[in-house]
Amino acid sequence: SATILLISGTTVGEGDDEVQPAFRFHLREGEAYVLSDNARNKTLHAVLADDVGGTRESLNLRFGIHTDKEAEEQITRHWPADTM
């Protein structure tokens, strides 16, 4: 089992009340999750193993749920050509 952690790339609030929102959810063995658009591209995300000494299998699929044009638009929206 594992915990999925998402940390927002932006802060909310002001002064001492300013926070960086974070979300977490738990997965049991055999479960899966999907991150897309801003959840994938604008947050820090990590898989935290509940059993640190155990083994883990992971499968990452990227840009496979839309057309090549949609993938290119999403990539260039976050990483414009002039920054590469």
Side-chain angles (χ1 to χ4, degrees):
S1 65
T3 299
I4 309 305
L5 177 63
L6 304 173
I7 301 174
S8 175
T10 58
T11 57
V12 295
E14 296 181 17
D16 291 340
D17 294 326
E18 187 175 71
V19 295
Q20 191 170 7
F23 309 90
R24 68 172 55 204
F25 55 95
H26 186 76
L27 294 176
R28 292 186 300 267
E29 184 176 342
E31 293 183 323
Y33 72 101
V34 174
L35 296 180
S36 65
D37 202 35
N38 288 344
R40 182 189 177 286
N41 297 321
K42 292 197 173 191
T43 67
L44 300 173
H45 47 276
V47 177
L48 308 174
D50 294 334
D51 178 9
V52 178
T55 59
R56 182 181 83 183
E57 292 183 23
S58 175
L59 172 66
N60 294 302
L61 302 174
R62 299 179 192 269
F63 301 114
I65 303 178
H66 39 59
T67 66
D68 289 344
K69 181 180 179 208
E70 290 170 323
E72 184 175 338
E73 288 171 352
Q74 196 172 99
I75 292 167
T76 56
R77 184 175 76 218
H78 295 290
W79 298 282
D82 62 342
T83 63
M84 297 177 120

